Amino acid sequence: MKNKTLLIGISGGTGSGKSTVTKKLVELIKEENVAVIEEDSYYKDQSNISFEERVKTNYDHPFAFDNKLLIEHLKDLKSGKSIEKPLYDFELHNRKKETLLVEAKEVVILEGILILSEEEIRALLDIKVFVDTDSDVRIIRRILRDIKERGRSLDSVIYQYMKTVRPAHLQFIEPSKKYADIIIPEGGYNDVAIDLIYQKIKSIIE
């Protein structure tokens, strides 16, 4: 595995604790050796439609993502090339004009709700992780995140959850759990599971 990038996929429902697991792994591996790619950064550009139309987008459906660009970038990172990662504005519901340079590292972590449901993405992953957390915990975390970090109202978060988030979870995300190599219960607070993943990463890259 030396001189080759190790690609880890961390999936799970909205608010499951994917970011917490990612953060803890980055701390264990050492930040200078890890690059993190968020699936959320690869929402499609919607400059061609109005803000009112963008608000109606189902962000929990596979069609919302620019998987062609994501797959291209993952292949570049695995081959040692840097990428210009897109950035997304969750208040404007559109891709930003600026991008972020991400250099290839020893370990790349891809985090997102739908990454295990896409066969072409799964094929690129060396380790596939699913973070499994009860739905009541996930919705509370999503409400807090979207209000504090994304400028949403409580009513809009609940409406979106019932209309698109929950149906998409049942249709796409929950079934993708079967593709995981490792399932972490209790969100990002299962330190034993996180340490086991870290030990596996060490055994491969060393």
Side-chain angles (χ1 to χ4, degrees), residues 10 12 41 59 80 86-87 121 125 140 158 171 181 183 186 205:
I10 299 180
S41 296
Y59 289 98
L87 300 171
I121 294 176
L125 301 174
I140 291 169
I158 293 173
Q171 184 177 358
D181 301 311
I183 296 174
E186 299 304 321
I205 64 177

Side-chain angles (χ1 to χ4, degrees), residues 184-203:
I184 303 180
E186 299 304 321
Y189 300 97
N190 191 320
D191 289 333
V192 173
I194 291 168
D195 187 61
L196 286 169
I197 295 169
Y198 171 58
Q199 295 302 327
K200 178 63 177 176
I201 293 167
K202 273 180 62 178
S203 73

Side-chain angles (χ1 to χ4, degrees), residues 39-40 43-44 46 49 51 53-62 64-65 88-90 92-94 113-114 142 150 152 160 164-165 168:
E39 186 186 30
D40 284 1
Y43 282 125
K44 290 177 180 175
Q46 301 193 103
I49 61 175
F51 176 78
E53 287 300 311
R54 297 200 298 267
V55 171
K56 298 175 185 175
T57 300
N58 182 352
Y59 289 98
D60 294 88
H61 194 284
F65 293 93
Y88 204 79
D89 189 321
F90 289 94
L92 295 178
H93 298 273
N94 202 14
I113 60 173
L114 290 167
R142 184 178 177 109
R150 299 185 177 181
R152 308 282 168 80
Q160 185 181 27
T164 62
V165 177

Side-chain angles (χ1 to χ4, degrees), residues 68-199:
K68 182 178 178 182
L69 180 62
L70 174 57
I71 290 164
E72 178 185 315
H73 281 181
L74 294 176
K75 288 178 178 178
D76 284 343
L77 289 168
K78 288 203 79 167
S79 64
K81 299 175 186 175
S82 60
I83 63 164
E84 291 288 343
K85 182 178 75 172
L87 300 171
Y88 204 79
D89 189 321
F90 289 94
E91 292 188 32
L92 295 178
H93 298 273
N94 202 14
R95 192 179 287 180
K96 296 181 179 180
K97 291 182 180 178
E98 60 265 36
T99 59
L100 179 68
L101 176 67
V102 177
E103 296 180 350
K105 301 281 186 174
E106 199 169 26
V107 177
V108 172
I109 297 177
L110 171 65
E111 172 202 324
I113 60 173
L114 290 167
I115 59 174
L116 295 186
S117 67
E118 296 293 327
E119 184 177 0
E120 203 169 347
I121 294 176
R122 286 200 309 271
L124 295 171
L125 301 174
D126 299 298
I127 299 175
K128 299 180 287 294
V129 178
F130 189 94
V131 185
D132 200 14
T133 303
D134 290 342
S135 58
D136 57 341
V137 175
R138 291 191 293 102
I139 180 57
I140 291 169
R141 287 178 180 169
R142 184 178 177 109
I143 288 170
L144 293 173
R145 181 201 68 188
D146 283 6
I147 291 175
K148 289 180 180 179
E149 300 176 18
R150 299 185 177 181
R152 308 282 168 80
S153 68
L154 175 60
D155 285 350
S156 72
V157 177
I158 293 173
Y159 175 78
Q160 185 181 27
Y161 182 83
M162 296 304 295
K163 183 175 174 60
T164 62
V165 177
R166 186 175 181 276
H169 182 85
L170 296 174
Q171 184 177 358
F172 301 111
I173 301 166
E174 187 67 25
S176 75
K177 181 163 59 175
K178 66 184 177 184
Y179 299 112
D181 301 311
I182 303 163
I183 296 174
I184 303 180
E186 299 304 321
Y189 300 97
N190 191 320
D191 289 333
V192 173
I194 291 168
D195 187 61
L196 286 169
I197 295 169
Y198 171 58
Q199 295 302 327

